């Protein structure tokens, strides 16, 4: 995996994460990441308190005892620096010969089946409370599935706000070049690991630290994006879409992509929009930009109602629902 801006190769921790992913895959590991709310409810059951299997540990992010896992798995976890000690609340039964034995994994591994095969993505553990947490979830699955049926060929494809790299990596076999861009260095570090796990040739994929497309070099003929689209008081990079209704980044993606794409190039944007009194707020917001900078465009409503729990927040007091929309626009 090459890095457009810096060194180029994976460091020893990243290689250890690749080996950990390969180990899990070789043992038939599968885990589909649900919404945080589902995760919370499932882990809240009595059997959700302690992890014993690989799915419990690397999927459900449950605490576990290192002494109960195969030594080779623990060695891989140590090399990848993914063990986070869990306090034993003074009962000392977590200590083995004075050594700390209870941990959670700092990372999750999720599987995704797409047209070109089975993928494994490493991302942040649950709960994703940190501002720089690296996202992977139900939106990533819907995004990948939408891309698989809409993007057929690209010369130089840019995945804006790539997170784990899911969008660009599932399309890698249909593109000559893939640029995975993100503003979060942690996302780019995981995306590099995921590219190696996907077996994508380092000559095909590059990583770019970038605020949307600002640091991405021309030319590019396809831009794909699943950006943050919510109002997030904690200002998490993967969640906070900016502005009063969380749609500022998506609006920027529409105007900056259409300005940067080669003529005839395509923007494929997967995102959420608040709906107020039946009006799709993002659609209205970018209408004039599309009329100015695109020759054709289509909107598709992929899910009429997501993140319903957010509607109790003051920022959403006028919002009746949040809909997931996909925009395909051709640059003038
Ligand atoms: C909702 S996550 C989606 C990640 C990935 N595309 C997926 O489908 O799983 C949004 C991503 O956008 C990134 N992001 C937020 N603001 C950005 C910006 N100004 N420029 C580039 N990336 C940004 C975040 O770091 C995060 O990785």
């Amino acid at each position: 995996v090459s890095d457009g801006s810096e060194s180029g190769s994976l460091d020893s921790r990243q290689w250890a994460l690749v080996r950990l992913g390969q180990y899990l895959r070789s043992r038939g590991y599968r885990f589909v990441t649900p919404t945080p709310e589902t995760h919370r409810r499932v882990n809240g059951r009595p059997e959700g308190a302690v992890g014993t299997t690989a799915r419990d540990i690397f999927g459900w992010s449950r605490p576990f005892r290192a002494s109960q896992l195969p030594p080779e798995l623990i060695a891989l976890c140590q090399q990848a620096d993914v063990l986070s000690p869990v306090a034993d609340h003074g009962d000392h039964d977590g200590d083995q010969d004075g050594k700390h034995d209870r941990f959670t994994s700092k990372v999750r591994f999720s599987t995704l089946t797409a047209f070109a095969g089975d993928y494994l993505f490493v991302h942040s553990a649950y709960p994703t409370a940190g501002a720089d947490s690296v996202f992977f979830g139900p939106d990533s699955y819907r995004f990948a599935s939408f891309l698989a049926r809409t993007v057929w060929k690209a010369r130089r494809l840019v995945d804006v706000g790539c997170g784990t790299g899911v969008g660009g990596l599932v399309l890698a076999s249909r593109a000559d070049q893939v640029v995975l861009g993100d503003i979060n260095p942690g996302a780019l570090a995981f995306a590099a690991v995921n590219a190696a796990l996907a077996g994508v040739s380092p000559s095909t994929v590059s990583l770019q630290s970038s605020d949307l497309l600002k640091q991405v070099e021309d030319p590019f003929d396809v831009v794909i994006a699943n950006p943050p689209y919510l109002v997030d008081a904690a200002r998490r990079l993967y969640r906070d879409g900016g502005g009063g209704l969380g749609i500022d980044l998506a609006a920027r993606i529409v105007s900056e992509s259409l300005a940067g794409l080669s003529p005839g190039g395509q923007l494929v944007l997967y995102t959420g929009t608040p709906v107020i009194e039946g009006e799709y707020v993002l659609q209205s917001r970018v209408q004039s930009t599309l009329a100015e900078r695109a020759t054709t465009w289509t909107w598709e409503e992929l899910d009429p109602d997501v993140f319903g729990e957010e509607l109790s927040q003051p920022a959403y007091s006028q919002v009746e629902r949040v809909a997931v929309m996909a925009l395909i626009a051709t640059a003038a």
Side-chain angles (χ1 to χ4, degrees), residues 181-204:
D182 206 287
I183 205 163
N184 179 357
L188 293 173
F190 281 161
V193 171
N194 293 327
L197 280 170
V200 176
S201 157
S203 60
T204 302

Side-chain angles (χ1 to χ4, degrees), residues 48-64:
V50 177
T52 52
T53 68
R55 294 184 86 247
D56 292 345
I57 295 162
F58 299 106
W60 291 112
S61 303
R62 293 174 185 158
F64 61 96

Side-chain angles (χ1 to χ4, degrees), residues 140 143 161-163 166 182-184 210-212 226 228 237-238 249:
S140 315
F143 179 46
C162 69
V166 53
D182 206 287
I183 205 163
N184 179 357
S210 183
D211 174 16
L212 302 189
N226 166 20
L237 282 172
Y238 77 87
L249 266 178

Side-chain angles (χ1 to χ4, degrees), residues 197-257:
L197 280 170
V200 176
S201 157
S203 60
T204 302
V205 68
S206 61
L207 303 161
Q208 182 64 56
S209 168
S210 183
D211 174 16
L212 302 189
L213 288 159
K214 274 192 187 158
Q215 285 77 32
V216 176
E217 281 177 23
D218 297 344
F220 41 86
D221 60 329
V222 177
V223 171
I224 62 169
N226 166 20
Y229 60 76
L230 293 171
V231 176
D232 186 42
R235 291 287 173 100
R236 284 165 288 186
L237 282 172
Y238 77 87
R239 207 170 146 94
D240 181 13
L245 286 171
I247 59 171
D248 284 14
L249 266 178
R252 266 187 67 199
I253 289 173
V254 174
S255 77
E256 293 175 27
S257 301

Side-chain angles (χ1 to χ4, degrees), residues 117-201:
D118 285 332
Y119 295 83
L120 188 60
F121 293 97
V122 66
H123 54 109
S124 297
Y126 170 88
T128 46
D132 58 354
S133 298
V134 179
F135 171 86
F136 188 91
D139 274 318
S140 315
Y141 290 97
R142 284 187 288 252
F143 179 46
S145 153
F146 184 73
L147 293 171
R149 66 182 166 87
T150 52
V151 180
W152 297 99
K153 195 159 174 45
R155 284 190 297 279
R156 194 152 175 273
L157 175 147
V158 187
D159 183 354
V160 169
C162 69
T164 59
V166 53
L169 292 175
V170 299
L171 290 175
S173 62
R174 296 182 185 178
D176 298 337
Q177 292 289 318
V178 173
V179 180
L180 301 176
D182 206 287
I183 205 163
N184 179 357
L188 293 173
F190 281 161
V193 171
N194 293 327
L197 280 170
V200 176
S201 157

Side-chain angles (χ1 to χ4, degrees), residues 23-79:
Y23 176 96
L24 294 174
R25 184 186 268 155
S26 72
R27 278 146 183 86
Y29 176 88
R30 302 197 72 77
F31 185 80
V32 171
T33 289
T35 64
E37 189 49 26
T38 296
H39 202 130
R40 185 185 69 77
R41 284 169 198 238
V42 173
N43 271 6
R45 297 171 184 161
E47 65 273 22
V50 177
T52 52
T53 68
R55 294 184 86 247
D56 292 345
I57 295 162
F58 299 106
W60 291 112
S61 303
R62 293 174 185 158
F64 61 96
R65 292 202 182 285
S67 51
Q68 291 179 342
L69 294 190
E72 72 268 24
L73 178 54
I74 290 301
L76 281 171
C77 289
Q78 282 165 339
Q79 288 158 22

